Amino acid sequence: MRKKIVAGNWKMNGLAETVQELSNAVADIQARCEIVVFPPFVYLLTVIDMLRNTPVRVGAQNCATALLGAYTGEVSAPMLKDISCRYVLVGHSERRSLYGETDAIVAEKFMMVQQVGLTPMLCVGETRAEREAGKTFAVIQAQLDAVLQTAGVSAFARAVIAYEPVWAIGTGLTATPEQAQEVHAKIREHIGAIDGKIADSLPILYGGSVKADNATALFTMPDIDGGLVGGASLDAAAFAKICHAA
Ligand code: PGA
């Protein structure tokens, strides 16, 4: 049995007070799945301290490709490890589209996160135009191959993948459970063609307008192992329902 994970990506939302309220609420969720939250960098330590004696894991939304040095404004993977982060989001579509992160940069970050002993949560997904042009899997395959070629398949024994169709992120449009399942199965098949055992145990989360009312249908699909939740993770009650659905 693969473990189910529900992760909340808070993006650049909240101030100290709301972050504390949300952390308290997340600490109270009783669910069978693993729960992960990705607060903004400046609140990471606060949230890690608040969730220290709970099963909830905390992750960072990004990290630098370099280990240390003259990189003004960047945060390194060793720093994240030092403050007890467990996960790092890598290649979120907003990083790819707004900050020019290429497949090669994403692969470097993936390696860096693993190198310090943290777990990368690798985001992949196609745009609406790519889906309409029938290129969904070609795009995702290229995103996966960039990491597979740099890190090797064994790296996926210590990673999580999040399939997030770009057209579904923050738009209220969700992939149907069947559309998502189709892509999840292909991702698993692609990795399974190199190593079946690793593919079988690899958690693949769905992200893109996951809400309390669509989570159950998505999470019951055989290759969907939970969700990466943006907007709805800022609403403690909705996020709790999504965790219970997993
Ligand atoms: P959303 O965001 O749930 O608001 O669509 C998901 C994500 O970007 O991880």
Side-chain angles (χ1 to χ4, degrees):
M1 264 286 269
R2 284 186 295 273
K3 71 172 165 196
K4 295 259 190 207
I5 302 171
V6 174
N9 176 8
W10 297 354
K11 307 192 181 182
M12 196 175 74
N13 293 296
L15 296 172
E17 195 180 332
T18 38
V19 162
Q20 284 179 17
E21 278 166 19
L22 205 47
S23 301
N24 276 328
V26 171
D28 286 340
I29 300 174
Q30 304 279 338
R32 277 195 305 249
C33 65
E34 178 173 313
I35 302 173
V36 186
V37 292
F38 292 95
F41 277 126
V42 288
Y43 300 119
L44 273 172
L45 260 179
T46 309
V47 176
I48 287 167
D49 279 343
M50 290 185 68
L51 297 176
R52 200 172 293 284
N53 297 316
T54 76
V56 180
R57 306 279 188 234
V58 181
Q61 297 173 16
N62 183 31
C63 77
T65 51
L67 270 175
L68 82 173
Y71 301 96
T72 303
E74 291 290 280
V75 175
S76 74
M79 291 172 186
L80 298 172
K81 168 84 176 171
D82 189 38
I83 62 163
S84 307
C85 269
R86 303 296 278 267
Y87 286 92
V88 183
L89 280 182
V90 174
H92 188 280
S93 73
E94 286 149 18
R95 301 289 326 164
R96 292 178 191 263
S97 69
L98 301 173
Y99 303 100
E101 288 193 9
T102 59
D103 284 346
I105 293 173
V106 171
E108 267 186 77
K109 291 190 174 184
F110 182 102
M111 296 270 288
M112 180 56 79
V113 169
Q114 281 203 329
Q115 194 184 316
V116 301
L118 303 182
T119 304
M121 192 174 282
L122 171 68
C123 304
V124 297
E126 81 289 1
T127 62
R128 178 193 291 274
E130 288 161 348
R131 175 163 281 263
E132 284 168 358
K135 292 187 187 148
T136 297
F137 202 66
V139 169
I140 291 166
Q141 193 168 316
Q143 292 170 339
L144 290 174
D145 285 349
V147 178
L148 279 166
Q149 279 154 17
T150 320
V153 73
S154 58
F156 284 83
R158 293 172 291 119
V160 174
I161 290 180
Y163 166 54
E164 299 204 301
V166 178
W167 49 272
I169 296 178
T171 58
L173 294 172
T174 317
T176 64
E178 293 73 22
Q179 278 174 324
Q181 165 59 27
E182 184 188 24
V183 176
H184 283 231
K186 286 207 169 127
I187 292 172
R188 203 178 304 287
E189 212 177 278
H190 189 62
I191 291 170
I194 318 170
D195 191 315
K197 219 170 132 206
I198 286 175
D200 274 348
S201 58
L202 175 66
I204 306 177
L205 315 186
Y206 169 79
S209 298
V210 175
K211 306 273 181 249
D213 60 6
N214 60 26
T216 306
L218 286 160
F219 299 167
T220 43
M221 296 312 252
D223 287 292
I224 302 184
D225 306 309
L228 177 54
V229 186
S233 72
L234 299 170
D235 172 341
F239 188 63
K241 280 192 190 139
I242 296 168
C243 293
H244 293 138

